[in-house]
Structures are given as C-alpha cells and as structure tokens.
Amino acid sequence: MLWGYLMGNLDGIVRICFSTNALVTGIVTIGLITLITYFAFALEKKISVASPFLEKITVNLSEMGLLLIGSLIVEQVFGSLTGGSAIELGGLYANAELTLLFYCLFVFNNRLIVLMNIALPFIYHPAFDIVRMKNQYWPLFIIAYIVLVIVIDYLYGHKDDLIVSNYKYLIAQILFGICWWILIWIDYRFPLTDIIGMLIVFEIYMLVVRIIEQKMSTYMHAYNDLEVKVNYDALTGVRNRANLNKLSKEAFEKYSKNSKEPLTVIMFDIDHFKKFNDNYGHEIGDEVLRHVAHVAERELHMDGSNGQLFRYGGEEFIIMIKGTDSQHSTNFINGINQTLIEMPLFIQDTQLNVTLCFGVTTLRATDKSFDDIFQRVDGYLYESKNTGRNKMTVEGEAQEYSVQPIIHI
C-alpha cells in the first residue's frame, strides 16, 4: 500500500528532491560543512584530556559559535529564496539545519552540542509542546524522541566506530532523520509526499557530506603527517633544526621587545658521543640520542617550564625556555643530569654512562638577532668541553652539577 502511494506520488517526490531550491540549499549546506570540517580539525587538535579546563571551555564555546553562525547563514539564505511553496522551503530549511546539527554532533567532541540536540525538540515548537502533548500523536512523539536521544548518545560515544564504519554511520543518520521528520510531521502535518521527499533530500545531503568528510579527513591527516615530517626529527621525535629556525625568530621578535620576560637558550651535546658509535655501532648511538632526548623532554614536562627542545644536528640539542632566566635554568639542567645518573641506559647488559655538556645564556638588550644568542651559547658550550666536560657554563661561568646521592633501599 505504501509502495503504491509512493509510485502514485513519484512526480511530487522527484520535484522536491531535484528542485532549484533544493540544489541551492545543498550547495550552501555543503559549503558550510566544508568550513566546519576544517575548523573541527584545527580546534580539536588544540585540546586533549590533559588540557586546562578553561581551554576546553573556550574551544567548546567556539564550536557552538560555529554551529550557530552556520544556522544563521542558512536562515539568511532561505530569507532570500522566493520561489517554491512555503512547505517546500520550510522542509528544505529544516533539512539544512538538521544536516548541520547531525554533522556538528559527529565531528565535535562537545557536550554543549549534545545537550542542544537533546533539548531542541522541546524548544523549537512555538506552542512549547502544550498543543503537541494534547493531540492524539503524543505517544509517537515520545517514541521518536527516545530513539533520537539514543542515536545522539551513540553518536557522541562511538565516534571512532562511525568514522571507520560506513554502515553504522548510515544507520545513525537515517534514524536521526526519521526521528526528526516524525517530530516535524506531528507539529506541522506536512503531506506525506513532502515528508518522504524531504527525508530523501536529507539522506542525499548526508551522503555528500560523508564523502566530503572522508576526503577532507584524508587530506588533513596527510597535512599533519607532512607537518610532523617537516618540523620534527625522525630519529628522536623532538623538534628539528628547521623548526628552530622558525620559532627562534618569532621568540626573538617577541622577547626582545619585552625586557620584563626573559628568554633563555640552552645548548648541550653528548660527551664523547663518537665513542658510542665506534665501540657499539651506530644503532646503539641512535639509542643514546633517543635516550637523552627522552630524558630532556621528561624534565621539561616535570619542571613545568615553558620550554621547547630541538635537535640541532648530530649529538647537539637546543632548548628555548620562555619566562625563565639563565640562573633559574640551572635547576632544570641539574634535573637532567640527575635523571641520567638514576636512569642509565643499558645495552646488551652493559650500562652506558651518558654525560652532557651545557652552555646557557639569556637574551640581552644588546642582542641584534637570535644569531647573537646562538653564537654566545655555542661558545659557552665549548667552554664546558674545554674545561673537562660533564659540566655547564652559565653566562661564561663554568659550574659543576649539583648531584643528589642515590639512596639504595
């Protein structure tokens, strides 16, 4: 019976699906989805589980803002459309909004958007549900709403499954569309032909959106991989020399204009590194480099310093620490040395005693560029080498490490 009804009203369904207004709506919606996808990758990269609460809230509010701006743009577009019946334009407008709601729920890990999706069926209706709950279809409303909440919860909690599973994504979007169009039908009683046509249009929109999301995801991940290759050292995983060249210029420009905030540069290398390669082979030498980089990164994290570690080349590394002067940086250097003592590297049951030389300096008012800082800290590093190694030279003064005794229990 339903099949016969569909065949008898096929012309009306096709007219809705392929009208000029539907095409305009699709183009605008897909354009917004493309922008949202780009910003989703950019924003979600900024936060993690360990991110500060204020930072998470800022990102979540920014994502909500994107959704609201997208909704306002859709509203303005429909305000300029004059062709088509009120039912057709209203249905296409609802589809555009539903597409934005579903997609933002899918790409953003945002509880505010989840709550908005859950609350929206109760707040969009002009009668605020009083009329709705008095009509004979209120049980259908309750069932559709419960299924919708289940779909929303699944979307929020199983994003990884939906990203890799096309059929789960398809089922979720179909149920989302059906539930919403049942709610809309209860409130506005659009003809069944229009409802079916609009549901088909929604699924077409979401199919195109899925293709765009997958393509952009591939491109964005490829871009991220390229960014890692360009800015990070493949052997140790820390930032590389090219990244140092970029960030050092930016840091100099900022801190040379602000005399109240110090910028400290630390340069260090591994004592007698050539012996590790000669005695144990280059693979062991690589392990030593990775071990030292890991210890320095660990101490940066433990110290809470606003510092960045770079592999300058060979066995040489550079650290830029913002907001800390050279004297206070000695605590951090002592921490690296202490950790190397307490956590030695073992290779083939042999303990490798790794020691480092450091040069330390802070940005001065007389420095004309970062090269001035680099030349100075490089000279301090060589002073440490020439005075016996396994020590640090801070602003021209050679110092021994402060070593804490190891307590064996």
Side-chain angles (χ1 to χ4, degrees):
M1 216 175 148
L2 178 61
W3 178 255
Y5 177 86
L6 293 175
M7 290 298 99
N9 294 274
L10 186 60
D11 290 343
I13 294 174
V14 171
R15 174 183 52 78
I16 291 171
C17 293
F18 299 100
S19 67
T20 302
N21 291 327
L23 180 61
V24 172
T25 305
I27 293 172
V28 172
T29 306
I30 290 167
L32 289 171
I33 290 296
T34 304
L35 291 174
I36 287 171
T37 303
Y38 172 78
F39 283 109
F41 278 96
L43 291 171
E44 292 295 328
K45 276 176 61 179
K46 292 182 178 295
I47 59 172
S48 64
V49 175
S51 297
F53 177 76
L54 184 60
E55 186 175 339
K56 291 180 181 179
I57 288 294
T58 302
V59 170
N60 285 343
L61 290 175
S62 299
E63 292 169 348
M64 276 290 292
L66 278 174
L67 174 56
L68 294 175
I69 290 171
S71 298
L72 289 173
I73 291 173
V74 168
E75 185 177 358
Q76 291 299 314
V77 168
F78 274 90
S80 65
L81 291 177
T82 56
S85 65
I87 292 177
E88 179 190 352
L89 293 180
L92 290 173
Y93 174 68
N95 264 338
E97 297 288 4
L98 293 180
T99 302
L100 290 176
L101 283 171
F102 180 91
Y103 191 69
C104 287
L105 186 64
F106 172 64
V107 297
F108 292 131
N109 188 34
N110 192 323
R111 292 183 182 179
L112 294 176
I113 294 178
V114 172
L115 294 174
M116 180 180 176
N117 271 273
I118 291 175
L120 199 57
F122 290 102
I123 59 179
Y124 84 89
H125 190 261
F128 201 71
D129 306 307
I130 296 174
V131 175
R132 175 194 286 162
M133 287 302 151
K134 288 182 178 179
N135 70 42
Q136 59 182 320
Y137 296 107
W138 69 265
L140 183 59
F141 170 86
I142 297 297
I143 293 171
Y145 179 73
I146 291 173
V147 174
L148 180 64
V149 170
I150 292 172
V151 172
I152 291 170
D153 179 69
Y154 186 84
L155 280 167
Y156 180 72
H158 298 80
K159 293 185 190 299
D160 293 339
D161 290 343
L162 292 166
I163 288 172
V164 299
S165 175
N166 286 324
Y167 86 88
K168 289 182 180 179
Y169 179 90
L170 179 63
I171 292 172
Q173 75 178 46
I174 289 174
L175 288 174
F176 186 87
I178 289 175
C179 290
W180 259 110
W181 275 107
I182 288 175
L183 299 178
I184 293 171
W185 177 82
I186 291 173
D187 291 332
Y188 296 102
R189 304 294 174 82
F190 289 163
L192 184 57
T193 303
D194 292 329
I195 291 290
I196 295 171
M198 291 304 170
L199 188 55
I200 293 173
V201 170
F202 174 74
E203 297 304 327
I204 292 173
Y205 285 175
M206 293 309 302
L207 174 63
V208 176
V209 165
R210 176 65 164 177
I211 294 171
I212 291 174
E213 182 271 329
Q214 289 180 329
K215 293 293 184 183
M216 288 196 67
S217 177
T218 300
Y219 293 146
M220 294 298 289
H221 283 108
Y223 173 80
N224 289 341
D225 291 342
L226 179 62
E227 185 180 26
V228 169
K229 290 178 182 178
V230 170
N231 292 306
Y232 289 82
D233 176 55
L235 176 63
T236 61
V238 302
R239 297 174 184 272
N240 60 18
R241 186 169 179 172
N243 196 238
L244 171 67
N245 292 338
K246 175 186 175 184
L247 296 183
S248 61
K249 292 178 182 177
E250 294 175 358
F252 181 84
E253 288 295 321
K254 177 181 177 181
Y255 286 88
S256 62
K257 297 174 183 177
N258 184 3
S259 58
K260 295 182 179 179
E261 272 200 273
L263 173 67
T264 296
V265 177
I266 301 170
M267 190 173 188
F268 68 92
D269 74 3
I270 302 169
D271 292 334
H272 307 296
F273 178 72
K274 188 174 182 296
K275 290 184 178 180
F276 292 115
N277 284 330
D278 293 343
N279 295 337
Y280 300 101
H282 287 280
E283 289 186 4
I284 303 305
D286 290 346
E287 283 297 323
V288 172
L289 286 169
R290 280 191 283 263
H291 178 64
V292 169
H294 172 74
V295 168
E297 283 273 43
R298 176 182 179 275
E299 289 303 314
L300 275 174
H301 177 73
M302 296 290 290
D303 187 62
S305 301
N306 189 16
Q308 296 169 310
L309 173 65
F310 306 83
R311 185 184 178 195
Y312 184 72
E315 71 272 26
E316 291 185 326
F317 295 83
I318 286 180
I319 299 172
M320 284 198 307
I321 302 182
K322 303 166 185 176
T324 302
D325 61 27
S326 55
Q327 294 303 320
H328 285 89
S329 297
T330 59
N331 295 328
F332 162 68
I333 294 171
N334 283 319
I336 293 178
N337 181 67
Q338 188 72 30
T339 302
L340 286 173
I341 295 172
E342 295 175 356
M343 300 173 58
L345 181 64
F346 285 90
I347 300 293
Q348 300 170 355
D349 297 327
T350 301
Q351 178 177 323
L352 302 185
N353 296 314
V354 181
T355 61
L356 307 176
C357 277
F358 287 87
V360 186
T361 190
T362 299
L363 172 67
R364 299 174 182 174
T366 55
D367 292 326
K368 303 300 182 184
S369 69
F370 188 81
D371 287 339
D372 293 340
I373 307 173
F374 177 79
Q375 294 297 329
R376 190 165 60 250
V377 77
D378 188 46
Y380 293 159
L381 173 61
Y382 275 90
E383 284 187 36
S384 296
K385 292 181 178 181
N386 294 332
T387 54
R389 297 181 183 267
N390 192 24
K391 61 182 60 178
M392 56 180 157
T393 299
V394 183
E395 302 295 4
E397 179 186 350
Q399 301 180 21
E400 300 291 338
Y401 298 125
S402 175
V403 179
Q404 300 295 323
I406 301 176
I407 300 174
H408 298 281
I409 300 176

